[in-house]
Amino acid sequence: MESPASRLRHLQSHGARLAGRELKQLLAADPGRAARMALRVDGLYASFARQHVDDEALEALFAVARASGMGEAIRALLHGEEVNRSERRPALHSALRTVFEAPVASQAAAEAAATRARMRTLAEALRVSEITDVINIGIGGSDLGPRLAVDALRDFGDGRFRLHFLSNVDAHAATRLLSGLDPARTAAILVSKSFGTQETLLNGALVRDWLGGGERLYAVSANVAKAEAFGVDPARVLPMWDWVGGRYSLWSAVGFSVLLALGEDGFAAMLAGAEAMDRHFLEAPAESNLPLWHALFAVWNRNVEGHAAHAVLPYDERLRLLPAYLQQLVMESLGKRVDHAGEPVAHDTVPVLWGGAGTDSQHSFFQALHQGTQVVPADFIGVIRPDHPHLGQHRVLLSHLLAQTEALANGDAGETPQQHSPGNRPSTLLLLDRLTPRSFGSLIAFYEHSVYAQSVLWGINAFDQFGVELGKRLANGLLPVLEGRARARDAVSAALVEEILSRG
């Protein structure tokens, strides 16, 4: 069977053919390109017209997807097959929101539904209590998804609770947060699958002591015994499962804080938007499959055009945390250097993903996007209808969004070399009709599925993250060194510890 690297090499001739043709030339030569290279799914419109491909290259990308067994791979994911091969288990995050007619996925969906019923019961009890503030204590996937959702969808909640998020083990964060809260009117949710995450347990112990005990502690974990030993009543422990990775867990009990913020209907709408994207990903042919298109252009930009970075640029303040969320989703999933068999891959995989909200980011790093020596492909994200009455300002925001994508693609000759912007810099424009819980769910599921499709094209596992564990192990070994109970084995670390201890 042909390897992913061999399949990707078939694209190189198209890259060479297009190397001398700029984006503005491709656009000028094809009046129907803007309409033909756009897709719409469930309130999400995507324009790929400013990607540096023509019809022939796009067909070659579809051929690579077919040769990769993309259709079978999508079915394997959504039907609960063992797609996480290194850990020998399925990745069933889609079953948290969508019931597929497959035994494993159906069983997972039933467990998810039972858990949502428990979430609603606990939420109702909190709603009739004196609690006004809830702290979500977690890190990584136990923090980034709920934090993003609560921030983005704040306008759709009833304001019954104020939600707060505590992730960093740096106690400055906890100290600042707790200084503005009343322990008698605060509850906390500790989110850790193993209930062994160092940062979460340290912050959890600090908050537990501040609360005066475990009476108002909740937990989301697979380890009920450890949560109980920590002081959480088992009746207030919601489950997690090993078939859902942290960065894919927003839809599970990890989203308990989201349910508290949005209410039952809002949380259900978020799941419904994700379900619509799940079914589209499974059922749509390659030629109209939105997540697959996004994945194909990501692979084109990385492996054919050689771009080592990718920017995510939401032009909506409510999505300001999206780049941070996608950093984990994309880079933890795709930051792999070996294939399923453990052999080194013969091609580049994940780009460095970064970004920021417009228009603020236009006044910080956009200079490098327009005139820097490195080309950085970008996703621009806009919302057509705002949820405020200031339509004049919204039109200004959208004008900047459109202007930046146009300027990156077309450039400007300028009157001097310093003024010259070369253009020919690819981007995708995503437009939500409106930012709602449903459209938010659809957007996040779109990115999840694009990441999976990229992993299939590259022949890597999107669902393990062993690289994350190395730093944790080393930190556990260095803690006794900082406490003066052991010696560092690394000479540089030993010198740094000596400096820290001498000044501490």
Side-chain angles (χ1 to χ4, degrees):
M1 182 178 178
E2 193 176 27
S3 69
S6 297
R7 291 192 290 267
L8 293 173
R9 278 195 289 272
H10 295 322
L11 300 173
Q12 298 301 327
S13 61
H14 295 282
R17 178 176 56 79
L18 290 167
R21 300 194 67 191
E22 296 188 350
L23 269 171
K24 60 185 177 183
Q25 295 172 319
L26 293 174
L27 290 159
D30 184 1
R33 179 183 174 95
R36 198 173 60 257
M37 293 192 67
L39 297 173
R40 171 176 282 279
V41 178
D42 196 47
L44 174 61
Y45 173 90
S47 172
F48 299 99
R50 289 187 170 121
Q51 292 292 339
H52 193 225
V53 300
D54 58 9
D55 288 345
E56 190 177 347
L58 182 58
E59 183 50 48
L61 283 166
F62 290 143
V64 168
R66 289 189 289 270
S68 301
M70 186 62 69
E72 294 82 356
I74 294 171
R75 282 189 291 275
L77 170 73
L78 297 178
H79 288 175
E81 296 181 24
E82 193 180 278
V83 293
N84 183 351
R85 299 181 198 173
S86 63
E87 297 178 298
R88 306 193 65 180
R89 58 194 182 208
L92 287 165
H93 48 280
S94 297
L96 298 170
R97 65 237 181 176
T98 310
V99 181
F100 291 103
E101 297 304 320
V104 174
S106 295
Q107 177 59 35
E111 292 184 43
T115 297
R116 285 196 297 275
R118 286 195 59 207
M119 291 165 65
R120 290 193 294 270
T121 298
L122 291 174
E124 288 166 6
L126 273 170
R127 285 184 176 277
V128 298
S129 74
E130 298 298 315
I131 297 299
T132 58
D133 294 84
V134 179
I135 306 171
N136 186 97
I137 305 172
I139 197 165
S142 299
D143 169 80
L144 290 166
R147 187 192 291 260
L148 166 65
V150 169
D151 192 57
L153 302 173
R154 181 180 303 169
D155 296 340
F156 293 91
D158 62 6
R160 170 63 183 82
F161 302 107
R162 293 189 300 172
L163 273 298
H164 312 275
F165 291 85
L166 181 59
S167 58
N168 200 322
V169 74
D170 185 342
H172 289 106
T175 302
R176 289 182 175 182
L177 172 61
L178 299 181
S179 67
L181 302 179
D182 177 358
R185 300 173 69 84
T186 301
I189 311 164
L190 281 73
V191 186
S192 172
K193 183 185 294 186
S194 65
F195 220 80
T197 307
Q198 184 186 49
E199 297 96 329
T200 300
L201 293 183
L202 286 169
N203 279 329
L206 190 157
V207 171
R208 178 194 59 198
D209 294 345
W210 176 79
L211 289 172
E215 182 181 349
R216 293 182 300 284
L217 286 182
Y218 295 74
V220 180
S221 180
N223 197 328
V224 178
K226 288 189 73 172
E228 184 177 8
F230 190 85
V232 185
D233 186 331
R236 296 197 300 272
V237 180
L238 293 162
M240 294 178 74
W241 307 280
D242 62 6
W243 36 263
V244 177
R247 57 194 176 278
Y248 298 93
S249 64
L250 169 65
W251 327 97
S252 71
V254 171
F256 185 42
S257 58
V258 184
L259 187 146
L260 292 175
L262 298 183
E264 181 180 340
D265 290 345
F267 190 74
M270 186 180 79
L271 298 185
E275 178 183 19
M277 190 59 67
D278 291 340
R279 296 197 180 280
H280 167 79
F281 188 48
L282 178 66
E283 297 166 1
E287 291 75 14
S288 58
N289 194 305
L290 181 55
L292 178 57
W293 276 53
H294 187 265
L296 290 170
F297 289 123
V299 168
W300 174 272
N301 285 324
R302 187 74 182 101
N303 299 116
V304 178
E305 305 228 323
H307 304 315
H310 186 92
V312 174
L313 307 165
Y315 272 66
D316 191 298
E317 183 69 10
R318 296 168 295 178
L319 293 173
R320 59 186 174 175
L321 300 181
L322 183 63
Y325 171 81
L326 291 178
Q327 278 180 337
Q328 186 195 28
L329 176 65
V330 174
M331 296 178 72
E332 196 165 274
S333 298
L334 301 176
K336 312 294 167 59
R337 59 186 298 276
V338 299
D339 62 17
H340 290 292
E343 297 296 323
V345 296
H347 49 270
D348 288 322
T349 57
V350 69
V352 174
L353 188 142
W354 56 284
T359 57
D360 283 351
S361 54
Q362 292 176 197
H363 298 269
S364 58
F365 56 75
F366 266 55
Q367 170 63 35
L369 296 184
H370 287 288
Q371 291 187 308
T373 57
Q374 297 290 315
V375 173
V376 180
D379 287 356
F380 287 83
I381 304 167
V383 177
I384 295 174
R385 298 196 302 274
D387 284 288
H388 61 68
H390 309 291
L391 297 184
Q393 279 189 235
H394 190 64
R395 283 191 289 269
V396 169
L397 178 69
L398 291 178
S399 73
H400 279 279
L401 166 65
L402 297 174
Q404 293 299 325
T405 59
E406 184 177 317
L408 286 168
N410 299 338
D412 184 68
E415 296 181 2
T416 67
Q418 289 78 15
Q419 294 174 342
H420 175 237
S421 292
N424 204 36
R425 301 186 174 210
S427 66
T428 293
L429 179 56
L430 304 169
L431 288 172
L432 299 173
D433 290 346
R434 184 170 169 238
L435 180 59
T436 65
R438 182 182 176 96
S439 68
F440 175 85
S442 186
L443 177 67
I444 298 303
F446 156 76
Y447 273 109
E448 287 180 348
H449 293 322
S450 172
V451 165
Y452 176 67
Q454 290 172 62
S455 77
V456 174
L457 295 165
W458 281 326
I460 60 177
N461 184 358
F463 302 111
D464 61 19
Q465 58 277 335
F466 295 112
V468 177
E469 303 303 319
L470 174 59
K472 294 181 181 179
R473 292 200 307 271
L474 292 175
N476 288 335
L478 284 166
L479 181 57
V481 178
L482 286 164
E483 293 171 342
R485 298 186 289 108
R487 294 176 61 85
R489 291 182 295 176
D490 179 272
V492 176
S493 292
L496 293 170
V497 168
E498 182 179 350
E499 177 68 15
I500 290 169
L501 295 179
S502 71
R503 301 286 182 177

